[in-house]
Amino acid sequence: MEYPRAIPLALFALVMMITGLSVFAMERGEDRRTEAMLIARAESVSSALERRANANSSYLRAGAALFATLDDVPRSRFDRFVSELRLDSDYRGAEGFGWAPVVRRSEFAAWSDARESENSLRTQIFPALVPGQPFAVPVTFLQPDTERNRRALGFDMYSETVRRQAMQEAFRDLRPTASGQVVLVQEGAAPEPGFLIYMPVVVREEAGPRLKGFIYSPFNAADFLGSALELEGASDFGVRFYDAVDGKEQLLASAGVEDGGKNKVRQGIRFANHRWVLEVYAPSTSALSTLSLLTLLFGLMVALLLMMVVRLLTQQAFEDDAAISWFAEQASIRNSLTRELNHRVKNTLANVLSIVALTRRRASSLDEFADGIDGRIRALSATHDLLTHSDWGTTPVRAVIEAELAPYARDSERMLNLDGPDSELAPNDALSLGLAIHELATNAAKYGALSVPGGRIDIRWQEVDGNTIRLDWAESGGPEVKQERARGFGTDLIEKIVAHELGRPVDLRFDPEGVKCTMLVPLRQPTDFSLRARDAGEEKPPAS
């Protein structure tokens, strides 16, 4: 009732919030399920990559152990070693196996002569050694013997920084070691990233280990990743393979969907004495899942339905409350009017008796008495007509006071002094003021300044702040006011009922020299009491 628009909107927002939380929970669960699948996929692909690399490293270790026992590694011996491995045609993601011996500057010519005698084609070491380079590590043999692999023969791998660092680390640790990202020499016009795994061939001597050369495997990164994915089967996930070196990551290869989306899992791998990073991700989608979409639509319909129902109930409650308030107000008005009528009848009778007594005392003949009492009773009737039959329009303050004091205004033995501006009062305020003036005048006629000759009543009013009138009633010249007296109905009427109707406190004082009363009467705009006037005129309850 206090928030007719806010309650339906708050209920709608609450239902939508619950629906949103439900959708969020379902989407969160879906993300977790996807994340779990991504983790499983990442572990399986990582395991496949490690198996590929470890199998190749095992072959390199075997070759290094064999070649370390030979004084020289001729082509026939190398080809026989590779053939006995009985590898499949694609070498499980590798480009093959190669042999690269350590060749010093003085041995370049002999190395070229040996290659010419074996291949009937003279091969030169390239690029030329830079000053300070102690030796070269040229590609001597590379199986399978294809046109593509022949492009790499004679290439000094020690001349390139990334390869050289990997070879130095492999010699230092005496185990298979992978290089970082490189482009293989045998790549054609569209080079793709790759890497190599080196295994040093070392001869044990009394002075210490002597490096004889390296048996190695070159890898095309895309082929290497593809061979691992073949072991795991197809899936809807994407995979990226990174080289992680010195805190930096370089993309080597990717497979599957290209859009990474928000769901992704990154996993570090270490094989061939090198660190790699594998990233597995699910394709991004901006749409909600089917269950989440259905839940959202259902929640929206429920929220709208509840909002409409609450809105209808609130509207009905407003109409019922308005009807109840109207009937209660009418009942209160009738009760107040009944009490006021009863009191006014009594006061009117008292005034009539007082007027009769005063008129009789001053009259010298029966006709004079009849004329005097008739005029005062007519004045009292005019006051009643002014207050109750003004058609609920505005009433001047002076007119209300004059109507109530009209029965006493013609008596020359008393003085009535009225002073104030031409201010207009609303109907209810005029009735309340008239009721108060009537009670004060009645009391004055019974016990105060109007009860004896020479009595004086000063009534002054003025506008205080533009919306309030201050009215002062002061009696003088009357009998001394008794301080020990019973509280009458008139006092309660002024201090409680009149003060309540005016919405302002009433200061009523029974000073010994005379009664004094100060009232604050509101000045209202017509719009403030037009509804009251209409209701009073129509006497109809609001529609339900």
Side-chain angles (χ1 to χ4, degrees), residues 230-241:
E230 288 178 1
L231 296 177
E232 301 305 315
S235 71
D236 295 332
F237 299 138
V239 179
R240 293 192 182 102
F241 183 48

Side-chain angles (χ1 to χ4, degrees), residues 143-286:
Q143 288 291 343
D145 186 15
T146 62
E147 184 63 30
R148 183 174 184 273
N149 282 344
R150 292 194 191 106
R151 298 175 190 157
L153 297 179
F155 174 67
D156 177 17
M157 292 185 290
Y158 204 76
S159 64
E160 197 269 322
T161 303
V162 176
R163 292 174 172 84
R164 182 171 61 252
Q165 290 175 349
M167 287 187 285
Q168 290 173 347
E169 186 175 354
F171 178 59
R172 183 177 61 251
D173 297 336
L174 297 179
R175 61 176 177 176
T177 301
S179 70
Q181 177 180 340
V182 299
V183 175
L184 302 179
V185 181
Q186 55 265 43
E187 294 287 353
E192 296 179 353
F195 62 94
L196 304 98
I197 298 180
Y198 294 98
M199 179 63 197
V201 177
V202 178
V203 178
R204 303 290 179 175
E205 296 180 348
E206 293 182 0
R210 177 177 60 86
L211 180 62
K212 187 175 183 179
F214 293 90
I215 183 172
Y216 74 97
S217 286
F219 291 85
N220 179 283
D223 294 341
F224 179 67
L225 178 61
S227 66
L229 294 178
E230 288 178 1
L231 296 177
E232 301 305 315
S235 71
D236 295 332
F237 299 138
V239 179
R240 293 192 182 102
F241 183 48
Y242 294 91
D243 170 28
V245 58
D246 298 332
K248 299 180 180 179
E249 296 179 1
Q250 301 182 67
L251 180 63
L252 292 177
S254 61
V257 294
E258 295 183 359
D259 188 2
K262 63 178 181 178
N263 294 319
K264 62 179 62 178
V265 171
R266 296 171 64 83
Q267 182 169 325
I269 315 171
R270 190 166 188 86
F271 59 81
N273 200 24
H274 194 83
R275 186 174 178 274
W276 317 86
V277 173
L278 184 70
E279 183 180 87
V280 180
Y281 53 89
S284 64
T285 173
S286 58

